[in-house]
Amino acid sequence: MRRIKALILGGGQGKRLFPLTRDRSKPAVPIAGKYRLIDIPISNCINSNIRDIFVLTQFNSASLNHHIHHTYRFDYFTQTFVEILAAEQTLQNMEWFQGTADAVRKNINHLDLEKDDDVLILSGDHLYKMDYHEIVDFHRQENADLSVSVIPVPAKMVSEFGILKLGEEMRIKEFKEKPSAREEFKELAIPQQLSKRLHLDESRAFYLASMGVYVFKADALIDVLESTSDIDFGMQVIPRAIRRLKSYAFIFTGYWRDIGTIKAFYEENIALTDKNPKFDFFSEEKRVFTHPRFLPPAKIENSRIENSLVTEGCIISGADIDRSVIGLRSVIKEGARIKEAVIMGADFYGRKAAGNKDIIPIGIGEGSTVERAIIDKNARIGRQVVIKNPRDVKNLDSENYYIRDGIVIVPKNAVIPDNTKI
């Protein structure tokens, strides 16, 4: 019986999401007020009835390991598991992971693979819902060594992804990682016949971008990793594998977004407040799982809240909130104005600190304004603070805040004194 082993790559430093990754790994970054990015691929696996799930970790992995360990517990009578494969030094290799492919190479023995198994390789920073059996069934039907899930993108997004060119019957003919010049990618455009089949705007050029979802035959994956010293999947392994192996493209037609940058992460969080968001956390059929918490319901007093997500355990008093995500245990005081902001909340209420007049309590203080910003966990925003970047500064590193793509980020555990203007 051919088994499916899922391998989620979660060990990278996540530089593009800094400072949210200053104290945690990228897959551990909170999203939608109560979830973590890692919950997306793990939930997809569970909903796809894939039971053997491995997560590779290395950089700032403590919070990610803690979340996985306390969230994905299964009883003794099921065969489902989520196992952490942490970077380790051995007598054979004293180095840490050098890249995504190197991480898989150094852990391949832990997967207990058999020749005809299929290995599903996933990223930990994408927002989508997918039945992985669809690509696995396609992979097996074509008797492929490698299958790459792709999604159509317009020309303006080509430089952000690996772009594939198809030959006959969905066979991958060419692969270019993040081509920058139009001359490099114009010949990679989707043929008109395929555009018509996918119901795309035929007056515009579209391209097939890799989603970072790969299916390998186990023996093909082992051969590729053992025959080279390549360390990165997107830049090295996939282009080389396409030249050597029988490789096919599986076209995904659902919603998918790479949220590995501050701008994309912020926009996707805010988009969740729309009346009909493109990504749906409310689906009964394809649920997103996360750590169960025993928190009281949100307490809201004398406040105006419009088009927002408010999670459990929040205490909101006399605030004005518009199109924002309010995370777990958020405390927002009288007169605060929150607009188009992501408030990640807190790991605890910090009432002892609040009782000390010399210490700014966790949460958003009285009369403060937060607009177009991300406030990370356990941040202490004082009274009459203004966070809104009125000069539209694009990028800035300050002592207790950062700006990326015009978005102000207050990092985890930061303190913003009373009357501060940002």
Side-chain angles (χ1 to χ4, degrees):
M1 180 179 178
R2 294 181 70 171
R3 301 175 301 175
I4 305 171
K5 305 266 185 163
L7 193 55
I8 302 173
L9 305 175
Q13 187 173 347
K15 293 181 180 179
R16 297 183 304 160
L17 269 180
F18 181 87
L20 301 181
T21 53
R22 188 190 67 179
D23 303 304
R24 59 169 77 89
S25 64
K26 182 166 54 176
V29 172
I31 185 171
K34 63 177 293 181
Y35 303 93
R36 306 266 187 160
L37 294 182
I38 192 66
D39 292 328
I40 304 300
I42 292 180
S43 297
N44 282 340
C45 286
I46 294 172
N47 290 326
S48 302
N49 200 34
I50 293 174
R51 301 306 186 189
D52 296 5
I53 307 167
F54 299 86
V55 182
L56 291 172
T57 68
Q58 175 172 282
F59 182 82
N60 269 349
S61 61
S63 62
L64 177 61
N65 295 346
H66 181 272
H67 176 74
I68 292 173
H69 175 73
H70 290 280
T71 302
Y72 299 100
R73 294 182 173 182
F74 303 95
D75 64 59
Y76 292 108
F77 302 100
T78 67
Q79 296 182 352
T80 303
F81 65 82
V82 179
E83 183 173 332
I84 296 169
L85 297 178
E88 60 182 358
Q89 291 180 316
T90 67
L91 293 177
Q92 290 74 33
N93 197 311
M94 299 297 289
E95 295 182 343
W96 302 117
F97 299 156
Q98 302 302 304
T100 53
D102 185 57
V104 176
R105 181 185 295 112
K106 289 174 179 175
N107 281 282
I108 201 76
N109 292 334
H110 296 307
L111 303 186
D112 188 30
L113 293 174
E114 297 179 4
K115 182 179 179 180
D116 61 348
D117 287 344
D118 292 307
V119 182
L120 175 67
I121 298 178
L122 308 169
S123 298
D125 58 350
H126 298 157
L127 189 64
Y128 67 115
K129 290 184 179 181
M130 182 178 185
D131 182 349
Y132 293 133
H133 271 288
E134 293 181 359
I135 184 174
V136 172
D137 290 345
F138 168 85
H139 174 79
R140 292 173 175 176
Q141 179 181 331
E142 300 295 338
N143 192 28
D145 296 315
L146 163 65
S147 295
V148 181
S149 188
V150 297
I151 192 165
V153 298
K156 65 180 181 179
M157 297 177 65
V158 164
S159 61
E160 301 175 24
F161 304 106
I163 303 298
L164 292 82
K165 182 177 182 179
L166 300 186
E168 296 181 357
E169 298 180 347
M170 305 306 292
R171 186 87 178 252
I172 300 174
K173 184 178 180 181
E174 190 174 352
F175 180 94
K176 289 189 177 181
E177 177 69 10
K178 298 181 180 179
S180 56
R182 178 168 288 274
E183 300 76 47
E184 289 187 60
F185 64 77
K186 63 181 181 180
E187 61 181 23
L188 304 177
I190 298 175
Q192 188 174 13
Q193 185 177 2
L194 182 56
S195 290
K196 188 174 182 180
R197 197 178 89 192
L198 296 173
H199 306 291
L200 301 174
D201 182 354
E202 295 180 49
S203 65
R204 302 170 60 196
F206 283 86
Y207 302 80
L208 293 177
S210 170
M211 295 169 53
V213 174
Y214 315 117
V215 182
F216 279 90
K217 278 185 180 177
D219 56 351
L221 176 62
I222 292 170
D223 177 63
V224 167
L225 295 176
E226 290 184 349
S227 61
T228 73
S229 57
D230 293 344
I231 64 172
D232 185 82
F233 267 103
M235 296 290 290
Q236 298 170 318
V237 171
I238 298 303
R240 190 187 303 275
I242 287 170
R243 292 193 295 268
R244 292 180 50 188
L245 303 176
K246 188 179 178 183
S247 306
Y248 286 82
F250 172 82
I251 300 179
F252 179 66
T253 56
Y255 182 72
W256 176 90
R257 184 79 187 270
D258 180 347
I259 49 177
T261 66
I262 290 293
K263 181 179 180 181
F265 175 83
Y266 169 81
E267 289 177 347
E268 284 303 303
N269 270 275
I270 298 302
L272 293 172
T273 68
D274 293 343
K275 184 177 181 179
N276 296 301
K278 293 180 179 179
F279 186 88
D280 181 14
F281 276 102
F282 295 88
S283 170
E284 287 288 340
E285 296 180 355
K286 296 181 179 178
R287 291 179 291 172
V288 179
F289 302 99
T290 193
H291 178 56
R293 299 173 177 87
F294 300 98
L295 289 173
K299 183 179 181 181
I300 302 170
E301 301 174 336
N302 193 31
S303 298
R304 186 193 74 88
I305 301 177
E306 186 173 348
N307 301 331
S308 298
L309 300 181
V310 179
T311 57
E312 307 101 295
C314 293
I315 302 174
I316 301 173
S317 306
D320 190 306
I321 300 173
D322 183 28
R323 203 162 185 251
S324 296
V325 177
I326 310 300
L328 298 163
R329 303 184 189 86
S330 291
V331 177
I332 302 177
K333 298 293 184 65
E334 291 81 1
R337 295 183 67 253
I338 314 294
K339 182 178 180 181
E340 295 184 347
V342 179
I343 313 297
M344 290 189 175
D347 295 315
F348 48 89
Y349 286 109
R351 284 176 175 165
K352 289 183 179 179
N356 187 331
K357 294 182 179 180
D358 297 327
I359 299 178
I360 295 173
I362 290 176
I364 312 298
E366 292 92 340
S368 290
T369 298
V370 180
E371 184 174 325
R372 193 171 168 76
I374 301 172
I375 310 299
D376 206 338
K377 280 193 170 185
N378 307 332
R380 301 171 185 269
I381 310 299
R383 294 172 295 181
Q384 302 299 325
V385 170
V386 176
I387 301 175
K388 61 186 299 185
N389 189 16
R391 294 179 296 163
D392 196 26
V393 176
K394 294 301 179 185
N395 296 286
L396 177 71
D397 288 9
S398 187
E399 182 179 353
N400 52 2
Y401 71 91
Y402 300 83
I403 299 177
R404 294 290 185 271
D405 293 316
I407 302 157
V408 181
I409 307 110
V410 176
K412 188 176 181 179
N413 300 318
V415 178
I416 306 296
D418 295 348
N419 302 305
T420 299
K421 303 290 188 295
I422 297 176

